[in-house]
Amino acid sequence: MFEMFAVEVRDHVMIAHSFKGDLFGPAQALHGATFVIDAAFMSEKLDENGVVIDIGRAHEALKEVLEPLNYKNLDDLPEFEGINTTTEFLTKYVHDHLARAARENRLGRPGPELDAIRVTISESHVARAWYEARIA
Amino acid sequence: MFEMFAVEVRDHVMIAHSFKGDLFGPAQALHGATFVIDAAFMSEKLDENGVVIDIGRAHEALKEVLEPLNYKNLDDLPEFEGINTTTEFLTKYVHDHLARAARENRLGRPGPELDAIRVTISESHVARAWYEARIA
Amino acid sequence: MFEMFAVEVRDHVMIAHSFKGDLFGPAQALHGATFVIDAAFMSEKLDENGVVIDIGRAHEALKEVLEPLNYKNLDDLPEFEGINTTTEFLTKYVHDHLARAARENRLGRPGPELDAIRVTISESHVARAWYEARIA
Amino acid sequence: MFEMFAVEVRDHVMIAHSFKGDLFGPAQALHGATFVIDAAFMSEKLDENGVVIDIGRAHEALKEVLEPLNYKNLDDLPEFEGINTTTEFLTKYVHDHLARAARENRLGRPGPELDAIRVTISESHVARAWYEARIA
Amino acid sequence: MFEMFAVEVRDHVMIAHSFKGDLFGPAQALHGATFVIDAAFMSEKLDENGVVIDIGRAHEALKEVLEPLNYKNLDDLPEFEGINTTTEFLTKYVHDHLARAARENRLGRPGPELDAIRVTISESHVARAWYEARIA
Amino acid sequence: MFEMFAVEVRDHVMIAHSFKGDLFGPAQALHGATFVIDAAFMSEKLDENGVVIDIGRAHEALKEVLEPLNYKNLDDLPEFEGINTTTEFLTKYVHDHLARAARENRLGRPGPELDAIRVTISESHVARAWYEARIA
């Protein structure tokens, strides 16, 4: 029987970037965004404390992933060279870092007890993107 | 392995309508609603630009579907004759029009590369409905 | 020295209406809206219980004013005959009914101890109106 | 082919509680929360009225489940003895009561026509939890 | 007797910029923001149509002011040379352009019938700024 | 000519408390609340950096005031003995602490350059309170 718990926490970054490709129209120019990021950690079972993971730890884990991006021009970061740092791309970027933290047991709960992570990034009051995938 | 990207955009319409059936109580009378509509386009893979579909194109596609409804009494539209235009019904109505646009390659990405669409309609700060289904 | 307390409560109505005047373009047709209404009661001093007015009483007072409008076509209500029931107009309509309740001591606190009422009506996620005026 | 409708309604409770376990840090002390609760009822098919379940009935069903918790110290309720009433725990608690109401045909639609319920509890503007499971 | 009506509309821009001054810490680097902008137009009296100004016209007026900023690096715009384009600065920038439109009777209502404009800019879910001033 | 700038930041606390007085009905029992708190700092002029006060400093100042309350039973705090810690009361409590910080030049800007502070506390999605007063 399908059942799933989730805990989701919110943080944000303020970044500059530009896109390559006619598709992007005016967004090919250097511009920026406030990305409000929700990270949801999912598990089929609560631990002995009655939580998916500790909400405080979830906030810290998300902040650690975001810190290298905050107040940056993403075009200048070597790891993003040649990449369009679209909202969609960044949802997977945050997901992958959080999933690694889970697998390395850095979220305060054994990684195998967590099932999936979904990262949602709101770029304005009218547009957002998300990425969800299993951790293992 | 399950993984899914989504891009979601928001728009709204302001309509009048009435419902048939004792279930609806006072909502059997002619009344109205602001429907705030979120359309989420889902895909397992980003395209070569790094997007699910272009957010600008997504906004346009949603607006095209909503335009014939906006500032209308839905009871007067022939296509809704004999139908209760409930929030749930309208989520599927919007979905089906967007899914057709996807299949006809009108969203700026080949339809088969898109997996599903979810349409969420908020009718107030305390009630909403959604419909999600595969495109193909 | 200026100082002011306020307590604000939220409710909503779902109505149909139409407007007269070229200014309104497509909104001249019969359409509708969900109006999410915030009523703020203001006072320079808290009462002996430490409140502006009881929040439960504030919710009831707002609901009483809204009930005759909910699930109605405002064009059919005699008291609105010949009137454009714009969002702005309705903010004052709700204000005036609440102000009368205050003056008639029906809000659980002597009317003269309340200073002003502000009524805000959100008609969508991108548009709202408000009206603020003194009670006396 | 996967397809799913949902109707979701919102309510809230204001409770006190404390947690046992070093994990919780300062939240081991008696504190409290406003829990804003969204209950989503899901079905693959609309009924003959064009709804998942009546939104009014959904609001009532949620309120009935929440009433025994509202304005309470959860530590004092016998049914929660020895339990950490975390946000996650409470999502399942509300879910299970709503699922029972569905199975006992108390939601105005035969239980077997409903598929799943998801309960989301927001504990602040930056943290929430949810639980989703099938009804049967 | 004090009384005031207002109509407020929302739009947004996505920009890059940097700040000069130790006060700004990491925000001295090139970064960016989504600014969600609410423009409120205030008047003591409704016009003969029952509005402060037409909401459609308000949306257009705001969009006209924002268009030259959207998808730009504000550091590159000559009119902002040597200026910290803080959220506060931009609230007044938008206000002043809208106030000029009002005085030049470009808002569909004689300027002298409008009293004040308040511009609120949300830079994230936890921070915003506003500027309010009379038009005349 | 009236003109005013404001910068507003958000934080929250999770507390338990009870009220004395028949007015409060079931809220006389020990219960709790998540209080989402917005503190707005107002000034007629921006400083030489182009800000009212630094947003980072504003966040810190608010957090310092809230820390002694967070995860507490307010009934147990000596400074609140014999007081109903209503939402309204707490808006003034937070205001007064921030106003003192302003007067003591602890907000990174000379106190006399700040005019007023408004503190808004949302106790749920349907109720909030605020208190606004001059600093001097």
Side-chain angles (χ1 to χ4, degrees):
Chain A
M1 194 201 84
F2 170 78
E3 65 171 336
M4 190 64 74
F5 287 95
V7 156
E8 189 176 57
V9 295
R10 174 168 285 196
D11 206 331
H12 74 287
V13 293
M14 304 183 80
I15 59 89
H17 61 170
S18 64
F19 297 140
K20 285 196 163 46
D22 291 345
L23 178 81
F24 295 102
Q28 292 175 88
L30 184 64
H31 63 288
T34 304
F35 287 131
V36 176
I37 297 136
D38 292 301
F41 303 87
M42 304 182 198
S43 176
E44 290 182 8
K45 295 225 178 306
L46 301 184
D47 75 3
E48 69 280 6
N49 293 297
V51 302
V52 172
I53 62 170
D54 176 52
I55 279 188
R57 184 65 198 108
H59 275 293
E60 286 169 11
L62 179 57
K63 188 171 285 299
E64 285 162 22
V65 173
L66 298 180
E67 202 139 54
L69 309 184
N70 202 13
Y71 294 118
K72 292 290 189 333
N73 178 359
L74 301 187
D75 295 356
D76 290 343
L77 299 189
E79 64 180 321
F80 297 143
E81 206 183 321
I83 287 172
N84 278 331
T85 53
T86 59
T87 312
E88 293 95 318
F89 169 83
L90 291 168
T91 55
K92 186 174 190 312
Y93 172 89
V94 175
H95 173 280
D96 289 354
H97 280 68
L98 291 174
R100 189 186 312 156
R103 285 191 304 268
E104 296 175 354
N105 302 319
R106 288 188 277 120
L107 296 183
R109 192 173 177 188
E113 296 183 13
L114 295 171
D115 288 86
I117 291 174
R118 184 175 74 199
V119 174
T120 305
I121 300 185
S122 300
E123 67 172 58
S124 75
H125 62 301
V126 291
R128 57 179 191 160
W130 65 81
Y131 175 71
E132 178 177 338
R134 297 186 65 86
I135 288 171
Chain B
M1 194 200 84
F2 170 77
E3 66 172 335
M4 190 64 74
F5 287 96
V7 156
E8 189 176 59
V9 295
R10 175 169 284 197
D11 206 332
H12 74 287
V13 293
M14 304 182 82
I15 58 88
H17 61 169
S18 64
F19 298 141
K20 285 194 164 46
D22 291 344
L23 178 80
F24 296 102
Q28 294 175 87
L30 184 65
H31 64 288
T34 304
F35 287 131
V36 175
I37 297 137
D38 293 301
F41 303 86
M42 304 183 196
S43 176
E44 289 181 9
K45 297 224 177 306
L46 300 184
D47 75 3
E48 69 280 5
N49 293 298
V51 302
V52 172
I53 63 169
D54 176 53
I55 278 188
R57 184 65 199 108
H59 275 294
E60 287 168 11
L62 179 57
K63 188 171 285 298
E64 285 162 23
V65 173
L66 298 180
E67 202 139 55
L69 309 184
N70 203 10
Y71 294 119
K72 291 291 190 332
N73 177 359
L74 301 187
D75 295 355
D76 289 343
L77 300 189
E79 64 181 320
F80 297 143
E81 204 182 324
I83 289 173
N84 277 332
T85 55
T86 60
T87 313
E88 293 95 315
F89 169 83
L90 291 169
T91 56
K92 185 173 191 311
Y93 172 88
V94 175
H95 173 282
D96 289 353
H97 280 70
L98 292 173
R100 189 186 313 156
R103 285 191 305 266
E104 295 176 356
N105 302 319
R106 287 188 278 120
L107 297 183
R109 192 171 178 191
E113 296 183 13
L114 294 171
D115 288 86
I117 291 174
R118 185 175 72 201
V119 174
T120 305
I121 301 184
S122 299
E123 66 172 59
S124 76
H125 62 301
V126 291
R128 58 180 191 160
W130 65 80
Y131 176 71
E132 179 178 338
R134 298 185 65 85
I135 288 171
Chain C
M1 193 199 87
F2 171 78
E3 66 172 336
M4 190 64 74
F5 287 96
V7 156
E8 189 177 58
V9 295
R10 174 168 284 196
D11 205 332
H12 74 288
V13 293
M14 305 184 80
I15 58 88
H17 61 170
S18 65
F19 298 141
K20 284 197 164 45
D22 290 346
L23 178 81
F24 295 102
Q28 294 175 87
L30 184 64
H31 63 289
T34 304
F35 287 131
V36 175
I37 297 136
D38 292 301
F41 303 87
M42 305 183 197
S43 176
E44 290 182 9
K45 296 225 177 308
L46 300 184
D47 74 4
E48 69 280 5
N49 293 296
V51 301
V52 172
I53 62 167
D54 176 53
I55 280 189
R57 185 65 199 109
H59 275 293
E60 287 168 12
L62 180 56
K63 189 171 286 298
E64 285 162 22
V65 173
L66 299 179
E67 201 138 56
L69 309 184
N70 203 11
Y71 294 119
K72 290 292 189 337
N73 177 359
L74 302 186
D75 295 356
D76 290 342
L77 299 190
E79 65 181 319
F80 297 143
E81 205 182 322
I83 289 171
N84 276 332
T85 54
T86 60
T87 313
E88 292 95 317
F89 169 82
L90 291 169
T91 56
K92 185 172 191 312
Y93 172 89
V94 175
H95 174 280
D96 289 353
H97 280 70
L98 291 173
R100 188 185 314 156
R103 284 191 305 268
E104 296 175 353
N105 302 318
R106 288 188 278 120
L107 297 183
R109 192 171 178 191
E113 296 183 13
L114 294 172
D115 288 86
I117 291 174
R118 185 174 74 200
V119 174
T120 305
I121 300 185
S122 300
E123 66 172 60
S124 75
H125 62 301
V126 291
R128 57 180 191 159
W130 66 80
Y131 175 71
E132 178 177 338
R134 297 186 64 86
I135 287 172
Chain D
M1 194 200 86
F2 171 78
E3 66 171 338
M4 190 65 74
F5 287 95
V7 157
E8 189 177 56
V9 295
R10 173 169 285 197
D11 206 331
H12 74 288
V13 293
M14 305 184 80
I15 59 89
H17 60 170
S18 65
F19 297 141
K20 286 196 162 45
D22 290 345
L23 178 81
F24 295 103
Q28 293 175 87
L30 184 65
H31 62 288
T34 304
F35 287 131
V36 176
I37 297 137
D38 293 300
F41 302 86
M42 304 183 197
S43 175
E44 290 182 9
K45 296 225 177 308
L46 299 184
D47 75 2
E48 70 279 5
N49 293 298
V51 301
V52 172
I53 62 168
D54 176 52
I55 279 188
R57 185 65 198 109
H59 275 293
E60 287 168 10
L62 180 57
K63 188 171 285 299
E64 285 162 22
V65 173
L66 298 179
E67 202 139 55
L69 309 184
N70 203 12
Y71 294 118
K72 290 292 189 333
N73 177 358
L74 301 187
D75 295 355
D76 289 342
L77 300 190
E79 64 181 320
F80 296 144
E81 205 182 322
I83 288 172
N84 277 332
T85 54
T86 60
T87 313
E88 293 95 316
F89 169 82
L90 291 168
T91 57
K92 185 173 192 312
Y93 172 89
V94 175
H95 173 280
D96 289 354
H97 280 69
L98 292 174
R100 187 186 313 157
R103 285 192 304 268
E104 296 176 353
N105 301 319
R106 288 188 278 120
L107 297 183
R109 191 172 178 190
E113 296 183 14
L114 295 171
D115 288 85
I117 291 174
R118 184 174 74 201
V119 174
T120 305
I121 301 185
S122 299
E123 66 172 59
S124 75
H125 62 301
V126 291
R128 55 179 191 160
W130 65 80
Y131 175 71
E132 179 178 337
R134 298 186 65 86
I135 288 172
Chain E
M1 194 200 84
F2 170 78
E3 67 171 335
M4 191 64 74
F5 287 96
V7 156
E8 188 177 56
V9 295
R10 173 168 285 197
D11 206 333
H12 74 288
V13 293
M14 304 182 81
I15 59 89
H17 61 171
S18 64
F19 298 140
K20 285 195 163 47
D22 290 344
L23 177 81
F24 296 103
Q28 293 175 88
L30 184 65
H31 62 288
T34 304
F35 287 131
V36 176
I37 297 136
D38 293 301
F41 304 86
M42 303 181 197
S43 176
E44 288 181 10
K45 293 224 178 310
L46 300 185
D47 76 1
E48 70 280 7
N49 293 297
V51 302
V52 172
I53 63 168
D54 177 52
I55 279 188
R57 185 65 199 108
H59 275 293
E60 287 169 10
L62 179 56
K63 187 170 286 300
E64 284 161 23
V65 174
L66 299 179
E67 203 138 54
L69 310 184
N70 203 13
Y71 294 118
K72 291 291 191 328
N73 177 359
L74 301 186
D75 295 354
D76 290 343
L77 300 190
E79 64 180 321
F80 296 143
E81 205 182 321
I83 289 172
N84 277 332
T85 54
T86 59
T87 312
E88 292 95 317
F89 169 83
L90 291 169
T91 56
K92 184 174 192 310
Y93 172 89
V94 175
H95 173 280
D96 289 354
H97 280 69
L98 292 174
R100 189 186 312 155
R103 285 190 303 268
E104 296 174 354
N105 302 319
R106 288 187 278 119
L107 296 183
R109 193 172 176 188
E113 297 183 12
L114 295 171
D115 289 85
I117 291 175
R118 184 175 74 199
V119 174
T120 305
I121 301 185
S122 300
E123 67 173 57
S124 75
H125 62 302
V126 291
R128 57 180 191 160
W130 66 81
Y131 175 71
E132 179 178 337
R134 297 186 65 86
I135 288 171
Chain F
M1 193 202 85
F2 171 78
E3 66 172 336
M4 190 63 74
F5 287 96
V7 156
E8 188 177 57
V9 294
R10 173 168 286 196
D11 205 331
H12 74 288
V13 293
M14 304 181 83
I15 58 89
H17 60 170
S18 64
F19 297 140
K20 284 194 165 46
D22 290 345
L23 178 81
F24 295 102
Q28 294 176 86
L30 184 65
H31 62 289
T34 304
F35 287 131
V36 176
I37 298 137
D38 293 300
F41 303 86
M42 304 183 197
S43 176
E44 289 181 9
K45 295 225 178 306
L46 300 185
D47 75 4
E48 69 280 7
N49 293 296
V51 302
V52 173
I53 64 168
D54 176 52
I55 279 189
R57 184 67 198 107
H59 275 293
E60 286 168 12
L62 179 56
K63 188 171 286 299
E64 285 162 23
V65 173
L66 298 180
E67 203 139 54
L69 308 186
N70 203 11
Y71 293 119
K72 291 291 191 331
N73 177 359
L74 302 187
D75 295 355
D76 290 342
L77 300 189
E79 65 180 320
F80 296 144
E81 204 181 322
I83 288 172
N84 277 331
T85 54
T86 60
T87 313
E88 292 94 318
F89 169 83
L90 291 168
T91 56
K92 185 172 192 313
Y93 172 90
V94 175
H95 173 280
D96 289 353
H97 280 70
L98 291 174
R100 187 186 314 157
R103 286 191 304 267
E104 296 174 355
N105 301 319
R106 289 187 277 119
L107 297 183
R109 192 171 178 190
E113 296 183 14
L114 294 172
D115 288 270
I117 291 175
R118 185 175 72 200
V119 174
T120 306
I121 300 185
S122 299
E123 65 172 59
S124 75
H125 62 301
V126 292
R128 57 180 191 160
W130 65 81
Y131 175 72
E132 178 178 338
R134 297 185 65 85
I135 287 172

